[in-house]
Amino acid sequence: MNRIEVSHLIKNYGSNEVLKDLDLTVGDNEVVVMIGPSGSGKSTFLRCLNRLEEPTSGEIIVDGYNLSDPKSDLNQIREKIGMVFQHFNLFKNLTVAENITLAPVELGKMTPAEAKETAKKLLETVGLSEKFDAKPQSLSGGQKQRVAIARALAMKPDILLFDEPTSALDPEMVGDVLAVMKRLAKEGMTMVVVTHEMGFAKEVADRVIFMADGHIVEQGTPQEIFDTPQNERTKDFLNKVL
Ligand code: ADP
Ligand code: MG
């Protein structure tokens, strides 16, 4: 089964063509890592997948739902597809637990008591049990990001999207966040991860996609992309980042 099917996706901002006819399929339990230079359209692509951006044209099917079909319930689709951002986007005036319980309770997916139990379990999973009642400002960047992951998981998503989840972190925090992501991958979560962490890509990705200038230039196993890249632009990019 495919979790995500994208065909002929085009996204323009005014006259700026940002995504130029992208095709991509992501299978169940698959971990896809997207790499590529800044400005190549990686974030825009992720944002189209959960409809934070409206595509100019093309088709996106998530879990069998066609995002561009007016009959599709976008909120229902968004519940299946969690997103973790570079800058965490936690609610500053809520506690850690409240950040996690807010959406499931508001959307009627859980009672407050169930959500609280879920928050406890998820905080254990990300190694932050003792931060249940803490406010986000008292947390380090790495801890905030792990709370953001727990918050996304509270909705029991089928798919998680990560947009440079470790890029805003001090180097010593990166490992803890990547460890949580690795465990999710191992447990079978379907994930699309935009990252500059090439070690993570090598170790965890089922497939690596190199994007440049709104195109998928090349894709393959980590071995294929990192050891024997075929395209000059891929080689050039890897020479700069490795
Ligand atoms: P990446 O994540 O690979 O760095 P982005 O998807 O953020 O790339 O950006 C791709 C291109 O789209 C850039 O040229 C950027 O300036 C442009 N862009 C992104 N978001 C917007 C927006 N909301 N309005 C106008 N242009 C945008
Ligand atoms: Mg980006």
Side-chain angles (χ1 to χ4, degrees):
M1 192 195 97
N2 289 326
R3 287 289 185 191
I4 300 173
E5 290 176 2
V6 175
S7 47
H8 297 301
L9 174 61
I10 291 173
K11 175 67 185 176
N12 303 330
Y13 290 113
S15 61
N16 186 8
E17 280 196 311
V18 174
L19 300 178
K20 301 168 181 166
D21 201 11
L22 288 195
D23 294 311
L24 180 71
T25 305
V26 179
D28 193 22
N29 301 348
E30 196 178 11
V31 177
V32 172
V33 170
M34 303 186 78
I35 60 174
S38 175
S40 55
K42 304 179 300 296
S43 294
T44 304
F45 179 71
L46 288 189
R47 294 167 63 83
C48 283
L49 288 183
N50 64 359
R51 253 325 184 80
L52 289 174
E53 292 290 348
E54 193 171 345
T56 302
S57 65
E59 191 174 69
I60 300 174
I61 297 174
V62 173
D63 266 352
Y65 293 95
N66 189 332
L67 262 61
S68 41
D69 182 345
K71 280 185 295 222
S72 287
D73 179 351
L74 281 183
N75 287 325
Q76 201 182 345
I77 297 165
R78 285 200 188 104
E79 287 175 18
K80 294 175 184 295
I81 185 161
M83 181 135 173
V84 175
F85 301 89
Q86 184 176 353
H87 292 290
F88 332 122
N89 300 1
L90 295 178
F91 302 110
K92 291 186 181 65
N93 52 339
L94 301 183
T95 66
V96 162
E98 287 163 348
N99 264 280
I100 298 171
T101 57
L102 182 72
V105 172
E106 289 280 308
L107 295 168
K109 296 203 116 193
M110 294 177 197
T111 66
E114 285 167 348
K116 221 171 152 176
E117 255 332 283
T118 304
K120 255 190 204 147
K121 281 191 198 131
L122 287 172
L123 284 173
E124 255 168 56
T125 313
V126 300
L128 292 173
S129 294
E130 76 285 4
K131 300 297 184 188
F132 191 85
D133 289 314
K135 280 285 180 68
Q137 77 248 23
S138 71
L139 305 181
S140 71
Q143 291 171 333
K144 282 181 194 161
Q145 194 59 297
R146 284 182 281 151
V147 171
I149 294 172
R151 180 177 61 178
L153 289 171
M155 291 298 290
K156 300 188 179 8
D158 293 332
I159 303 160
L160 275 184
L161 310 176
F162 293 86
D163 194 358
E164 299 199 28
T166 60
S167 293
L169 302 181
D170 291 332
E172 72 270 23
M173 310 279 175
V174 169
D176 290 340
V177 172
L178 293 180
V180 169
M181 293 168 64
K182 265 179 221 172
R183 198 164 65 232
L184 290 173
K186 239 190 210 144
E187 288 166 0
M189 179 63 77
T190 304
M191 295 165 49
V192 181
V193 182
V194 172
T195 187
H196 299 294
E197 293 291 332
M198 298 301 152
F200 177 85
K202 281 182 191 169
E203 192 184 332
V204 183
D206 295 305
R207 185 155 42 118
V208 176
I209 290 181
F210 173 66
M211 227 177 122
D213 194 24
H215 294 283
I216 291 176
V217 172
E218 186 168 355
Q219 57 179 309
T221 63
Q223 230 176 354
E224 286 166 342
I225 296 298
F226 292 114
D227 297 347
T228 53
Q230 302 297 309
N231 190 287
E232 285 309 315
R233 289 163 92 181
T234 318
K235 290 179 196 171
D236 194 47
F237 176 77
L238 291 175
N239 276 334
K240 284 183 185 135
V241 298
L242 287 178

